[in-house]
Amino acid sequence: MQQLSSILDRFAEPETLKMAKLGRELRAKGIDVIDLSLGEPDFDTPQHIKDAAKKAIDDNWSHYTPVPGFLDLREAICTKFKRDNNLDYKPENIVASTGAKQSLANVVLALVDEGDEVVIPTPYWVTYSELVKIARGKVVQVGTTMESQFKITPSQLEAVINNKTKVFLFSSPCNPSGAVYSKDELEALAAIFRKHPNIYIISDEIYEYINFVGKHESIAQFDDLKDRVIIVNGLSKGFAMTGWRLGYIAAHANIAKACEKLQGQFTSGTNSIAQKAAVVALTTDLKPSFEMVKEFTRRREITMGLVKQIPGLKCFEPQGAFYIFPDVSHYFGRSHGQMVIQNSADFSMYLLNTAHVSSVMGDAFGDPKCVRFSFANSAENIQKAWARIKEALAKLS
Ligand SMILES: Cc1ncc(COP(=O)(O)O)c(C=O)c1O
């Protein structure tokens, strides 16, 4: 066979998807695997959103759509930004895409050239570094710690900025750490960006609603920075619509146009039915979303209570999103039978094979000491999973 293109050697497959696949394979063999590797709400999409989609089908919204999305969708997204974030955007600032993942890909490809540096606080969502590599940019990881609540400090940021720095890319609430930046913390980072007017800021806010500590704050609220902030958001997490594939950005019109140009060649406008349903999701009652958050809050408490009972796991209480990201390095060097735990990948595999619980190794997020466990699973499964994990870890010596 002819050789495949070199682009494939530049980036890795998402570990999150790999773990989900391994879990499915074990389940196919009849093993009862509890999935804590999940990156999606386990709830169904709220009924009024499903009804809007059914109506869109009956109304024959079945044709190609404008590349950046229907005008009514982009208006609805602007309404959402005003309502939730007090931010003023116009439809020309908005591009809807096939998931926030595509939004991120568009933005990274629109901004990053070969050799450009992209500063990413670690731990970070798996896809960020790989998109930068696809664009031939250079990933500059800045390590955060549990002690700093997994947040980058202004001095850490300032220390890595140089004349090649093009983009700062982060999420708040953060997947996987659960860190949520307060207004004061964002203001402190904004003070650094003011000194460096050529840096763009990609702010991934997809977990906006899943916040356990207070009001969501966006770095786009600082007027003098707003033109170089690109907000990425979407319906996957807040509305339990992962399979619908609808994400969006808000950005300066020039950046939005660049994303539209890229998307025009890759996918064109995203799914028409999902767009029509999204208009309803974004402009009507958020009660179903906040009911889900209430349940995530309960499960976070259950999870934290169970994790605290396990010796050696150091865990930051997540402020948002639906993951815990404990430091598991206490177990490195320990073994059970043939299995020696040397790193977070071994730890994850050990739990999958021994406790039949799937998780995602921290290496995938740039933090090799930690492992990510989701609490987007039923309280019953969470309880069962952590009992099994406790038992499996007790066997290591
Ligand atoms: C931080 C973060 N950003 C973006 C995405 C992508 O979401 P979407 O389903 O809209 O592509 C995810 C999904 O896991 C995520 O965790």
Side-chain angles (χ1 to χ4, degrees):
M1 201 168 91
Q2 289 271 40
Q3 211 181 331
L4 302 175
S5 95
S6 66
I7 198 174
L8 294 161
D9 300 327
R10 289 214 295 274
F11 69 97
E13 221 188 304
E15 284 300 331
T16 41
L17 301 188
K18 260 201 236 168
M19 273 314 277
K21 195 165 134 197
L22 283 176
R24 271 199 302 274
E25 281 168 10
L26 278 186
R27 216 171 285 125
K29 290 183 192 155
I31 296 171
D32 167 32
V33 176
I34 303 177
D35 197 344
L36 299 190
S37 71
L38 284 172
E40 61 174 335
D42 54 317
F43 302 106
D44 295 324
T45 303
Q47 190 59 46
H48 66 294
I49 303 174
K50 294 196 282 195
D51 290 342
K54 289 176 196 162
K55 181 167 184 310
I57 293 172
D58 289 339
D59 290 348
N60 294 310
W61 288 104
S62 52
H63 301 274
Y64 283 132
T65 72
V67 175
F70 285 127
L71 181 61
D72 62 345
L73 172 62
R74 286 178 290 137
E75 283 168 348
I77 293 169
C78 295
T79 303
K80 174 256 171 278
F81 276 117
K82 190 68 189 164
R83 177 193 65 196
D84 296 345
N85 315 101
N86 196 26
L87 291 171
D88 291 301
Y89 287 108
K90 298 201 178 83
E92 70 198 44
N93 301 115
I94 309 295
V95 178
S97 299
T98 307
K101 194 179 252 187
Q102 187 186 20
S103 301
L104 281 159
N106 287 342
V107 177
V108 169
L109 289 175
L111 299 180
V112 178
D113 257 325
E114 184 162 2
D116 285 344
E117 294 192 3
V118 177
V119 176
I120 307 179
T122 56
Y124 54 81
W125 184 49
V126 283
T127 293
Y128 297 164
S129 54
E130 306 316 289
L131 289 177
V132 173
K133 290 180 206 165
I134 290 172
R136 292 186 187 274
K138 183 178 165 207
V139 177
V140 178
Q141 296 187 13
V142 181
T144 66
T145 61
M146 213 174 284
E147 289 66 41
S148 65
Q149 300 192 324
F150 288 116
K151 293 175 206 176
I152 187 172
T153 62
S155 54
Q156 278 185 303
L157 173 63
E158 190 149 40
V160 294
I161 290 178
N162 63 54
N163 60 9
K164 293 208 185 90
T165 310
K166 185 77 176 280
V167 172
F168 176 72
L169 168 50
F170 79 124
S171 62
S172 176
C174 174
N175 172 10
S177 71
V180 172
Y181 286 79
S182 68
K183 183 172 179 184
D184 286 349
E185 287 159 345
L186 293 175
E187 174 72 69
L189 296 180
I192 308 298
F193 291 123
R194 282 188 191 109
K195 293 194 234 167
H196 300 279
N198 296 325
I199 300 177
Y200 290 103
I201 302 144
I202 305 177
S203 178
D204 181 347
E205 304 180 15
I206 195 151
Y207 291 94
E208 169 177 13
Y209 296 148
I210 307 166
N211 177 331
F212 311 114
V213 290
K215 187 171 154 302
H216 174 75
E217 300 287 351
S218 172
I219 196 160
Q221 70 186 280
F222 306 111
D223 286 339
D224 55 338
L225 292 187
K226 189 173 168 227
D227 277 353
R228 50 194 176 108
V229 173
I230 300 95
I231 298 182
V232 174
N233 206 330
L235 282 85
S236 287
K237 317 291 177 177
F239 297 94
M241 291 175 70
T242 48
W244 297 65
R245 309 311 299 130
L246 211 133
Y248 56 87
I249 60 157
H252 186 281
N254 289 349
I255 298 172
K257 270 206 199 84
C259 291
E260 179 179 341
K261 183 173 180 185
L262 281 160
Q263 185 163 298
Q265 287 298 7
F266 276 112
T267 53
S268 302
T270 189
N271 179 289
S272 56
I273 308 305
Q275 289 191 51
K276 288 294 169 191
V279 171
V280 170
L282 290 165
T283 53
T284 55
D285 192 5
L286 291 178
K287 203 164 158 240
S289 297
F290 289 113
E291 286 298 318
M292 286 186 242
V293 177
K294 226 196 259 173
E295 180 57 18
F296 284 134
T297 310
R298 190 173 82 88
R299 294 174 188 178
R300 176 184 77 140
E301 263 140 48
I302 294 171
T303 303
M304 287 306 295
L306 295 167
V307 171
K308 279 182 193 146
Q309 291 168 24
I310 300 182
L313 290 189
K314 266 201 300 181
C315 193
F316 167 67
E317 183 158 341
Q319 301 169 327
F322 37 66
Y323 313 98
I324 60 159
F325 196 57
D327 180 326
V328 301
S329 58
H330 170 80
Y331 289 96
F332 294 175
R334 297 186 183 221
S335 57
H336 173 60
Q338 301 284 75
M339 181 78 200
V340 186
I341 311 282
Q342 258 145 3
N343 48 42
S344 74
D346 293 343
F347 185 94
S348 253
M349 285 313 292
Y350 174 72
L351 291 188
L352 183 63
N353 291 321
T354 312
H356 301 143
V357 175
S358 61
S359 56
V360 186
M361 61 177 185
D363 304 64
F365 308 99
D367 192 331
K369 287 205 307 233
C370 297
V371 170
R372 191 191 78 174
F373 298 90
S374 164
F375 47 89
N377 207 324
S378 69
E380 190 193 342
N381 278 341
I382 289 171
Q383 256 142 355
K384 212 158 78 177
W386 284 99
R388 288 191 198 172
I389 293 171
K390 189 175 177 187
E391 196 184 327
L393 293 181
K395 291 183 187 154
L396 292 169
S397 57

